[in-house]
Amino acid sequence: MWTRAVRERLGEFEERVRRRVSMSLLTGDQLSSSYNVKLNASATDIDVMMVRPLQEQLLFAHNNWLADLSDRVQEPAFGWADFQAPPREASTTGGRVLSVPVVTERPVLYYRKDLVPTPPKTLAELKSAAERLTDRNSGRFGYVGRGQRSGAVTQWSSFLYSYGGDFTTDGRSAIATPEAIAAYEYYGELLGRSGPPGATNMSLEQAMPIFAQGKAAFYIDADAIYTGLVDPKVSAVGKTIGYAPFPTGPAGSKPYNIPSWSLGINRFSKLQDDAWEFIRWAAGVQLVTALQTAGIPGARASVWANPAAAAGFPPELAAAMQVNARNGVGHDRPEVLQVGRARDIVGRPLVSAVLQEQVAPVARDADAEFNDFLVRDNRHRES
């Protein structure tokens, strides 16, 4: 959505810098493959790069593919301090600012207003209501969410933080701490007892349609996907959906608040000054306000404080997004070079929990595996 919206406005920027701009629109996998091929060859035909900070920025920094923007973002007119703290911090690696966040997301509790007049405020209330509303004979489930081993990790992260845990502590695995085990067990009970069959095979693409088809009462996933849930072409419940902040757990409500996409500059670009002008424009208050009014959540605090900029979202959703942003944690997955492998390890106890198996021994085994992984990952990072 962001790329298409910006492409429609490129003429404004071209007029500003008196240069033509060529923009390529790729899938995430295509983009990663293109970067790997081109940047390994020190290609100069890419200037501005869209980057997923939490998925690949650490690797790109290790490969020295991104230009250091630390001095540029400190320009008074740019207003780096105006960016929300968690996305701002996620764009910084090794003390260097390597990207500027342009699209953010948080989890939101989607619920059926026709089934639930008042949304649950705590995780305990959510589980109780989900179990009460589950009627497998009629094909209605109390809760649907991601349960697939790797794909579920990012959404489970908010449950982990709200139980007082994290993926790592002082560079070592923390997935077998009492807090993490409690978060695994809670999520397993929620999805295992109140969710649809086959939940351990479900990521976004499988869970979202179940809620959109009216087969579940509650669903927690990224706020950025709400348009797909209200689109009458694919959703049977668009008019009855309610939105609420992430429920409170034993350690409070601690949802993730992350930059799903940021802009960086190719270190090999010969047009870095022009590339920075593009980022100044694309991440500036004026354009961010326009895009957020159109329903694309940005990272600037001043724009979120502008009631007109929130008009692109349903009022209840806008309020939930702002609450989650204030409480947000700046990562939704382990912060490592090999993110995919780390998610696979962390997701193993989660699958066991959903299958209603003993979680603690699986978590301890995964914890040992994750610690070994972290040693290798840190060694690779330092090489």
Side-chain angles (χ1 to χ4, degrees):
M1 288 177 62
W2 184 92
T3 308
R4 287 193 292 269
V6 169
R7 186 162 56 181
E8 292 173 359
R9 295 168 168 84
L10 274 183
E12 173 189 329
F13 178 73
E14 291 176 329
E15 181 73 18
R16 175 173 167 172
V17 298
R18 302 295 180 179
R19 278 191 179 276
R20 291 289 303 278
V21 177
S22 173
M23 180 180 286
S24 298
L25 181 60
L26 305 172
T27 67
D29 289 342
Q30 290 171 339
L31 186 64
S32 295
S33 297
S34 178
Y35 284 158
N36 190 52
V37 171
K38 288 179 173 289
L39 299 179
N40 267 317
S42 303
T44 61
D45 61 335
I46 302 172
D47 300 303
V48 179
M49 301 167 56
M50 285 201 80
V51 178
R52 292 170 291 187
L54 294 165
Q55 187 70 21
E56 57 206 3
Q57 181 165 304
L58 199 57
L59 178 63
F60 287 8
H62 176 76
N63 292 341
N64 203 18
W65 286 348
L66 292 168
D68 188 352
L69 306 179
S70 302
D71 290 338
R72 295 185 187 270
V73 298
Q74 296 303 326
E75 296 174 3
F78 185 64
W80 184 232
D82 185 35
F83 288 77
Q84 295 172 340
R88 192 173 67 234
E89 292 164 3
S91 298
T92 304
T93 299
R96 298 182 300 156
V97 178
L98 298 180
S99 65
V100 173
V102 290
V103 183
T104 61
E105 67 177 55
R106 298 133 296 271
V108 67
L109 173 62
Y110 299 98
Y111 67 97
R112 292 267 304 278
K113 285 186 171 182
D114 54 328
L115 300 175
V116 188
T118 304
K121 294 183 178 180
T122 69
L123 289 176
E125 291 174 358
L126 171 62
K127 187 167 67 170
S128 176
E131 291 178 0
R132 185 178 70 253
L133 291 166
T134 298
D135 185 352
R136 297 185 182 277
N137 292 331
S138 64
R140 189 183 73 200
F141 307 100
Y143 183 84
V144 66
R146 305 187 198 187
Q148 190 266 343
R149 180 167 170 167
S150 175
V153 169
T154 55
Q155 297 309 313
W156 175 71
S157 68
S158 296
F159 295 85
L160 174 64
Y161 307 148
S162 297
Y163 264 84
D166 207 331
F167 296 107
T168 61
T169 301
D170 297 328
R172 293 187 57 80
S173 170
I175 62 172
T177 62
E179 295 83 4
I181 291 174
Y184 279 128
E185 290 175 340
Y186 172 89
Y187 194 77
E189 291 173 1
L190 176 65
L191 188 54
R193 295 177 183 176
S194 303
T200 55
N201 295 316
M202 291 183 179
S203 194
L204 170 66
E205 294 79 6
Q206 295 77 35
M208 181 178 171
I210 290 177
F211 186 80
Q213 292 161 11
K215 297 180 180 179
F218 298 106
Y219 175 39
I220 290 179
D221 214 302
D223 51 27
I225 68 168
Y226 90 94
T227 52
L229 294 173
V230 298
D231 184 350
K233 297 178 182 177
V234 296
S235 177
V237 295
K239 295 182 179 180
T240 64
I241 294 178
Y243 312 90
F246 190 83
T248 299
S253 176
K254 296 185 177 180
Y256 64 79
N257 178 27
I258 63 163
S260 46
W261 289 101
S262 294
L263 295 179
I265 296 177
N266 173 19
R267 189 177 68 85
F268 309 110
S269 167
K270 296 181 179 179
L271 299 172
Q272 293 193 19
D273 288 343
D274 292 311
W276 172 246
E277 279 300 311
F278 181 88
I279 293 178
R280 287 184 63 209
W281 170 75
V285 172
Q286 184 175 351
L287 186 55
V288 172
T289 301
L291 297 184
Q292 195 155 306
T293 302
I296 302 171
R300 284 191 176 269
S302 62
V303 176
W304 278 105
N306 180 354
F313 306 99
E316 197 177 22
L317 174 59
M321 293 165 83
Q322 293 186 58
V323 171
N324 287 335
R326 287 196 296 271
N327 298 331
V329 176
H331 59 283
D332 65 348
R333 65 202 78 186
E335 298 174 282
V336 295
L337 287 176
Q338 301 176 60
V339 178
R341 178 61 184 140
R343 289 173 64 164
D344 197 50
I345 296 170
V346 171
R348 184 153 62 94
L350 191 150
V351 170
S352 295
V354 175
L355 294 175
Q356 302 292 281
E357 299 172 351
Q358 287 288 324
V359 173
V362 180
R364 287 193 293 269
D365 187 61
D367 183 71
E369 183 181 6
F370 194 33
N371 267 322
D372 288 343
F373 165 86
L374 289 171
V375 170
R376 295 193 302 272
D377 193 78
N378 287 333
R379 188 181 301 135
H380 185 199
R381 195 184 310 185
E382 294 167 0
S383 64

